Amino acid sequence: MPIKIVIFLTILIFACLSVIYLYRIDQPGVQIWDEQHYIPAAQSYLQGDKETYRNLRNPPLGKELITLSIRSFGDTFFAYRLPSALAAAALGALLFGAGLWLSGFWEGGLLSLLLWLSSTLALLHARLAMVDMATALFFFAGLASFLPILKNPTDKNSTIWLLIACSLAALGGSVKVLDSVLFPIFAIGLFAVREKWPLFKSLPRLAIFAALTSGITLLVTYGILGYSPGEIPDQFRKMFGLQSFLHKDYAGLSQWYDWFLGRGQLWYLAKLGEDGRRFGALCIQNPVLWTVGSLATLALLFRGLFSKRPLDLVLGLSIPIQVLFWVIFKEQKILTYGLPMEPSLCLNTSYALSQWVPRRYYRVWAFCLAAGSLLYFWRALPEVGGGFFP
C-alpha cells in the first residue's frame, strides 16, 4: 500500500476514533474510581504550591497532561478525560499502521485495530481521567519505534530509531514507572542483533540515550512544578515508598486462572452504585483478546528464542516483562493493570497470524478472531456502558 494512503488512513482513523471516544465523555458527572486521585492532583498543580500537591504515587507527566487540558478547556469533566480519549484514539491509529507494516498487508493493520476496538478495558479507560491510557500509548509507541532496528539493524537510520524509542520510553516513565521496562527490552533486542550491530556500538548508545532522555524528561516535568534537580530523588523515594515495593500481602499473580475461566474480577460487572461508580466494570478484560493474544505472544517468544528471530523475541517479551513488573512492583491484583499490555496483544495476534497463515486464508482467520472478540465486546457493552451513559 502506498505510504501516502497509509498516512491518510492513519490520520482518518485517529480522527474517527477521537469522535467515538469523546462522545458524551463528560458523563457521568462524578469522579469514577481513581479519578478521585488524579483529578484533584491535576487541579492541585494549578495552584503552584508544592506543599499542596496531591497524589505523589506516580511521576507527574500524566497528571500534567490533565492540568494542561483543564487550562485549555476549563475545569470540567470533558477536560479531565480528554487526554485519555485522544491517547486511545492515537493507539488505535498506531496499531493500524504497525500491524500493516509488520504483516505487509492491510488486513493485518485492520485486525490489530479491530482487536483494540473490542477491548472493553480500553473503552473504559479512554473515558477516564487517569494516566493508564497515556502509559499504554508511550509504551507501545516506544516499542513500535524500536522494531525497525530489529527488522533491519544495518539501516542508516537505526541510531535515530533508537533515540526516538528511548525518548518515548522516557516520556512513558514520567507518566508511570512501568514504561521504564522498555529499556531492558531494548537491551535484549540489541543483544539479539549483535552480529549485525555490534554491542560495543549499540549498548553505549542505548545507555547514553536512556540516561539523557530520562534525565531531561524528569528535569522538565518536575521542574514545571517547581522542583529543583536536587529535590527529584527525594520525590522518587517518596513515590517508591507509597507504592509499597515488594508488598508480600498483595503482589503476585493470585487467582491467575480467573483470566481464562471467567471467575472473580475478570468478568465481574458490578451494579451501578449510588455515586455512579462501577468498580467491577473498570477491571473487565475481553477474554477472547487475552486468550488469543497470550497464545500469539507465547508462540512469538518461543520462535524468537529457538529460531533466533530478534523481532519475534522482543514482541514476545513485551507481555511477560510487564507481568513480571506487576508481580514484583504493584500491591494490587494484576487484573486492574492490564491495559498497557493490550496493544501488544493486538499487534502480536495480527503479526503471528501473518507468519503462520497464508495470505489467501488470512482474511478468514482474521475475520473469525475479530468477530469472536467483537461479539464478547457487544455482549458486555450494555452493562459496561450503563456506568457511563446513565
Side-chain angles (χ1 to χ4, degrees), residues 33 121 125 252-256 258-259 263-267 282-285 290 332-339:
W33 202 25
L121 188 69
H125 277 277
L253 279 173
S254 57
Q255 297 180 337
W256 60 269
D258 287 345
W259 289 37
R263 297 194 290 267
Q265 281 184 309
L266 186 57
W267 284 288
L282 297 172
C283 300
I284 190 173
Q285 302 182 40
W290 275 82
Q332 297 185 30
K333 288 184 179 180
I334 194 172
L335 290 177
T336 310
Y337 299 101
L339 181 65

Side-chain angles (χ1 to χ4, degrees), residues 44-318:
S44 72
Y45 288 175
L46 293 170
Q47 301 172 13
D49 183 2
K50 291 189 291 183
E51 299 301 321
T52 64
Y53 289 160
R54 305 284 298 276
N55 186 6
L56 302 176
R57 292 175 63 91
N58 302 111
L61 180 56
K63 291 164 283 188
E64 287 175 337
L65 294 176
I66 301 174
T67 302
L68 178 62
S69 182
I70 294 174
R71 281 188 180 275
S72 302
F73 300 100
D75 199 353
T76 64
F77 279 95
F78 173 86
Y80 303 155
R81 296 164 180 163
L82 177 63
S84 291
L86 295 180
L91 260 170
L94 183 58
L95 273 165
F96 171 79
L100 189 154
W101 175 71
L102 274 181
S103 66
F105 37 85
W106 67 267
E107 294 93 340
L110 184 60
L111 177 58
S112 298
L113 174 61
L114 290 176
L115 290 174
W116 175 246
L117 293 177
S118 75
S119 169
T120 46
L121 188 69
L123 174 66
L124 293 166
H125 277 277
R127 305 180 62 81
L128 290 175
M130 293 169 56
V131 300
D132 298 77
M133 192 60 76
T135 302
L137 174 60
F138 284 124
F139 184 95
F140 184 74
L143 181 69
S145 299
F146 186 70
L147 297 182
I149 300 175
L150 304 176
K151 199 168 185 180
N152 186 11
T154 59
D155 185 84
K156 62 181 180 180
N157 295 319
S158 293
T159 300
I160 297 175
W161 282 117
L162 182 60
L163 178 58
I164 293 173
C166 287
S167 299
L168 291 165
L171 287 169
S174 293
V175 176
K176 266 192 173 182
V177 179
L178 163 69
D179 281 13
S180 299
V181 304
L182 278 171
F183 293 122
I185 293 178
F186 295 163
I188 294 172
L190 293 176
F191 182 80
V193 296
R194 63 190 181 279
E195 294 180 358
K196 296 183 178 180
W197 203 15
L199 292 178
F200 71 85
K201 178 181 178 181
S202 61
L203 289 186
R205 288 182 182 178
L206 174 62
I208 292 171
F209 290 163
L212 185 64
T213 55
S214 298
I216 292 175
T217 305
L218 291 175
L219 285 173
V220 171
T221 54
Y222 277 102
I224 289 173
L225 301 180
Y227 291 105
S228 66
E231 291 177 304
I232 296 177
D234 183 57
Q235 294 302 309
F236 261 77
R237 282 191 292 269
K238 291 181 180 179
M239 181 179 66
F240 278 94
L242 289 169
Q243 292 285 12
S244 303
F245 187 65
L246 288 176
H247 198 301
K248 295 181 180 180
D249 293 337
Y250 295 96
L253 279 173
S254 57
Q255 297 180 337
W256 60 269
Y257 48 81
D258 287 345
W259 289 37
F260 301 102
L261 300 183
R263 297 194 290 267
Q265 281 184 309
L266 186 57
W267 284 288
Y268 175 62
L269 296 172
K271 293 182 179 180
L272 192 63
E274 294 180 359
D275 59 355
R277 297 176 185 173
R278 188 185 288 272
F279 289 97
L282 297 172
C283 300
I284 190 173
Q285 302 182 40
N286 190 321
V288 179
L289 169 61
W290 275 82
T291 302
V292 173
S294 298
L295 293 174
T297 298
L298 287 174
L300 290 173
L301 179 58
F302 282 115
R303 191 171 83 156
L305 287 170
F306 296 108
S307 300
K308 296 182 179 180
R309 294 174 177 262
L311 190 64
D312 293 16
L313 177 63
V314 168
L315 288 173
L317 284 173
S318 62

Side-chain angles (χ1 to χ4, degrees), residues 315-341:
L315 288 173
L317 284 173
S318 62
I319 302 298
I321 286 186
Q322 288 188 70
V323 172
L324 181 62
F325 175 88
W326 293 125
V327 169
I328 295 175
F329 189 76
K330 300 305 293 185
E331 78 276 11
Q332 297 185 30
K333 288 184 179 180
I334 194 172
L335 290 177
T336 310
Y337 299 101
L339 181 65
M341 304 180 198

Side-chain angles (χ1 to χ4, degrees), residues 3-20:
I3 186 64
K4 290 184 179 180
I5 296 179
V6 174
I7 294 174
F8 171 76
L9 289 176
T10 302
I11 295 173
L12 180 63
I13 289 170
F14 172 74
C16 293
L17 292 184
S18 296
V19 172
I20 293 172

